[in-house]
Amino acid sequence: MYVSKFSLLFVSISLPWETIASPELRLHNSPSFGAIRGSTHQASISQSQKDVISRERAGVVKETFKFAWDGYRNHCFGEDELLPVTNTCGNSRNGWGATAIDALSTALVMQIEPIVDDILDFIPTVDFTKTKDYVSLFETTIRYLAGLLSAYDLLQGPLANLAYNASAVEQILVQAKSLADTLKYAFDTPSGVPYNNLLLSHKTNDGAISNGLATTGSLVLEWQRLSDITGDPEYGRLAQKAESYLLNPLPASAEPFPGLLGTNIDIATGNFKDSNGGWNGGDDSFYEYLIKTYAYDSSRYSHYRDRWILAADSTIEHLASHPASRPDLTFLASFQNTSLVNSSQHLTCFDGGNFLFGGQVLKRQDYIDFGLALVNGCHELYDNTATSIGPEIFSWNTTSIDESQQAFFDKSGFYILSGAYLLRPEVIESYYYAFRITGDSKYQDWAWDAFVAINATTRTSSGFTSISDVNTPGGGAKYNNQESFFFAEVLKYSYIIQAPVSISSRMILRTLTSG
């Protein structure tokens, strides 16, 4: 199972390198969406010229958001996603309007008032108690609950100027509480480790005997935040109880390297059922949430920091891997017990940003340096394909290279196991952290290159579609799906890496789940 980062939550903590776009950002004669053809790199130009280019780029990304939003609104508003090849609608996330709620924080950051107002009017109409399909506790938390809480925090704080209707803002919190109240029976298990797949109509589940590391360990930020806002300790208590089995893992064999855990947890006992894992989908956001939970409240969650440091140090010592054909690159292997597996995923490319974030929070230059090495490795995934977009799954295992990919591996340091691109954000996300921490404009250029490539390859008449093969000109087949996280993350990161720092914010842009 692969899971991936989908939503962004703004939480009140202070980091000086964070940004939110200027409310006075208005571009004159900005290039139209269709006029994007290539990138202007900034290495040899003045800072004032760089600022102009970055503002223009931010304006283009904002127009792109409006274009994609208009496609969704015209065809599918109130449903989960637009199917942008056929201009029909999908409801893969229970029919509660996933795209609208996931897009709200980006519309707020871009300060697009008509879109914000549309979504605020929509939120009270959703009935989170009813759906005919199974509900994923994890997906619903990171898309819906996170989307609601991020919007509430923004409208109560740094973007209160957009909160024209106080009752609409309060309805966000009412709906967040309604959703959590609907879902919380998932935690009613012998151990407190929740079921992930829920059938709300009968308050039952799918009968699973285990839950995953990411799906269990990527709930605590949203549920604790809801407790902190409402004053009701139950939500945080439930998520913290589930997390306790991950912070104190049993049996000892579940931790083959210090801090690095297996993937599957027994719902009845809270014990781990295996010792296979890494930073790939299914495990990833557990590690992401450790350091971010500490950053959220360092006085309460120092033990989260300690577990993240254990995992980070073991990752550097045991999982860092350098392809035989490109020893200058750094990727992260996964593990089966203590045996390493030299393959990885686009999802995993959040890792550079997470090490950079951890290094910034903990004032550890070694983590920052390692994070930058991971960012550079993931940049190569984009720099070497026919579309300039990175693949879904790749490998550098020299024992199983297909002859048809040998030359590609010799040049690139990896070969492709799945060439799909599912509109994922992780590479641009890590560029964002790299730029904000180092100030090096090459990361803005890399993000712009990725944005241009995504536009060139995945755009349809109404939005953006997943594609089948990043190493085929044109991207191969179009999968006719536009995930909500395209709005919540791809376009948000593409925007804020270019947008000027104009508000001394007490916010941290937080990616909530992973994979």
Side-chain angles (χ1 to χ4, degrees):
M1 175 186 68
Y2 302 123
V3 293
S4 72
K5 300 186 192 59
F6 300 124
S7 288
L8 296 155
L9 176 61
F10 286 83
V11 186
S12 296
I13 65 175
S14 180
L15 283 180
W17 48 274
E18 285 298 333
T19 181
I20 184 169
S22 166
E24 66 271 14
L25 176 59
R26 298 290 184 269
L27 297 178
H28 300 285
N29 302 316
S30 62
S32 69
F33 187 94
I36 302 172
R37 289 293 180 268
S39 62
T40 302
H41 283 218
Q42 304 183 54
S44 60
I45 62 177
S46 69
Q47 186 58 52
S48 62
Q49 290 173 307
K50 289 180 182 181
D51 291 344
V52 169
I53 290 170
S54 295
R55 283 177 177 269
E56 289 179 348
R57 290 173 174 177
V60 172
V61 176
K62 184 173 180 177
E63 291 303 314
T64 303
F65 179 90
K66 291 178 181 177
F67 162 78
W69 173 261
D70 287 345
Y72 167 74
R73 193 184 192 288
N74 291 339
H75 296 288
C76 297
F77 186 66
E79 300 191 65
D80 285 343
E81 61 266 326
L82 170 69
L83 308 182
V85 176
T86 58
N87 290 333
T88 53
C89 307
N91 281 303
S92 65
R93 297 299 163 202
N94 306 105
W96 294 330
T99 290
I101 292 175
D102 230 0
L104 179 53
S105 63
T106 304
L108 283 164
V109 168
M110 293 179 175
Q111 306 208 34
I112 309 174
E113 294 176 18
I115 296 176
V116 170
D117 291 343
D118 273 352
I119 301 172
L120 289 179
D121 288 342
F122 166 71
I123 286 172
T125 71
V126 180
D127 185 351
F128 285 118
T129 68
K130 295 180 180 178
T131 181
K132 63 183 179 180
D133 302 314
Y134 275 100
V135 175
S136 166
L137 175 65
F138 166 73
E139 294 284 358
T140 304
T141 292
I142 64 174
R143 300 196 198 217
Y144 287 110
L145 188 57
L148 293 168
L149 293 175
S150 62
Y152 183 79
D153 274 344
L154 286 168
L155 287 165
Q156 289 283 12
L159 293 179
N161 60 297
L162 296 179
Y164 303 117
N165 185 338
S167 65
V169 176
E170 285 308 311
Q171 278 298 307
I172 298 174
L173 186 57
V174 169
Q175 286 289 67
K177 191 175 184 303
S178 171
L179 177 57
D181 286 340
T182 299
L183 298 174
K184 67 185 180 182
Y185 81 88
F187 296 91
D188 186 13
T189 68
S191 67
V193 172
Y195 290 101
N196 186 59
N197 298 314
L198 311 175
L199 191 60
L200 300 186
S201 58
H202 296 84
K203 285 207 166 184
T204 56
N205 54 73
D206 64 352
I209 61 173
S210 64
N211 202 345
L213 183 63
T215 47
T216 303
S218 308
L219 307 172
V220 65
L221 279 170
E222 295 89 338
W223 287 71
Q224 186 61 57
R225 183 63 182 156
L226 183 60
S227 277
D228 291 345
I229 294 172
T230 63
D232 184 343
E234 181 182 24
Y235 309 111
R237 177 182 59 77
L238 292 170
Q240 295 286 353
K241 174 63 174 177
E243 189 85 11
S244 69
Y245 296 98
L246 315 183
L247 298 173
N248 303 281
L250 291 173
S253 60
E255 193 171 3
F257 306 106
L260 296 174
L261 307 182
T263 296
N264 295 296
I265 303 108
D266 189 304
I267 290 173
T269 66
N271 289 348
F272 279 79
K273 297 170 69 69
D274 62 58
S275 55
N276 305 328
W279 291 68
N280 293 342
D283 301 308
D284 46 7
S285 51
F286 163 68
Y287 301 106
E288 180 184 12
Y289 272 42
L290 290 175
I291 189 62
K292 290 180 175 179
T293 302
Y294 168 71
Y296 173 65
D297 190 335
S298 60
S299 64
R300 282 189 286 178
Y301 301 123
S302 60
H303 51 306
Y304 283 74
R305 173 201 61 201
D306 297 342
R307 290 299 300 185
W308 186 86
I309 290 173
L310 273 179
D313 289 348
S314 286
T315 297
I316 294 170
E317 181 176 355
H318 299 290
L319 304 188
S321 184
H322 309 287
S325 63
R326 290 286 306 275
D328 57 307
L329 302 183
T330 302
F331 298 130
L332 293 188
S334 57
F335 56 87
Q336 296 177 351
N337 297 308
T338 56
S339 298
L340 300 185
V341 179
N342 287 337
S343 64
S344 190
Q345 304 166 359
H346 194 291
L347 289 165
T348 314
C349 282
F350 87 98
D351 54 9
N354 195 238
F355 270 87
L356 286 160
F357 179 81
Q360 183 77 2
V361 169
L362 301 174
K363 297 180 171 54
R364 289 280 299 268
Q365 187 63 41
D366 55 338
Y367 294 150
I368 290 173
D369 292 342
F370 187 69
L372 292 174
L374 294 173
V375 171
N376 291 340
C378 287
H379 173 253
E380 291 296 308
L381 303 180
Y382 275 58
D383 206 36
N384 283 283
T385 68
T387 61
S388 298
I389 301 172
E392 177 75 353
I393 307 175
F394 62 98
S395 178
W396 58 103
N397 180 358
T398 57
T399 66
S400 58
I401 305 174
D402 187 274
E403 184 178 347
S404 65
Q405 293 206 63
Q406 184 66 55
F408 183 86
F409 172 73
D410 291 342
K411 170 181 176 287
S412 305
F414 68 95
Y415 57 94
I416 296 171
L417 298 180
S418 169
Y421 174 64
L422 307 181
L423 303 180
R424 297 205 188 277
E426 292 80 16
V427 172
I428 300 175
E429 171 189 350
S430 286
Y431 293 164
Y432 169 75
Y433 284 101
F435 171 64
R436 289 300 173 205
I437 287 174
T438 69
D440 189 336
S441 62
K442 78 176 181 182
Y443 299 111
Q444 290 180 300
D445 294 335
W446 289 0
W448 180 249
D449 291 344
F451 172 79
V452 169
I454 291 166
N455 167 48
T457 309
T458 72
R459 186 190 181 202
T460 72
S461 63
S462 59
F464 296 83
T465 181
S466 300
I467 56 173
S468 67
D469 189 355
V470 297
N471 210 28
T472 295
K478 290 178 167 54
Y479 285 156
N480 195 28
N481 192 45
Q482 180 177 260
E483 291 275 8
S484 66
F485 55 78
F486 180 73
F487 293 86
E489 296 195 78
V490 173
L491 294 178
K492 186 185 279 111
Y493 282 122
S494 295
Y495 180 73
I496 61 177
I497 193 173
Q498 309 294 348
V501 179
S502 62
I503 296 177
S504 298
S505 66
R506 288 178 52 80
M507 300 186 308
I508 175 66
L509 189 62
R510 186 185 303 282
T511 55
L512 292 178
T513 220
S514 186

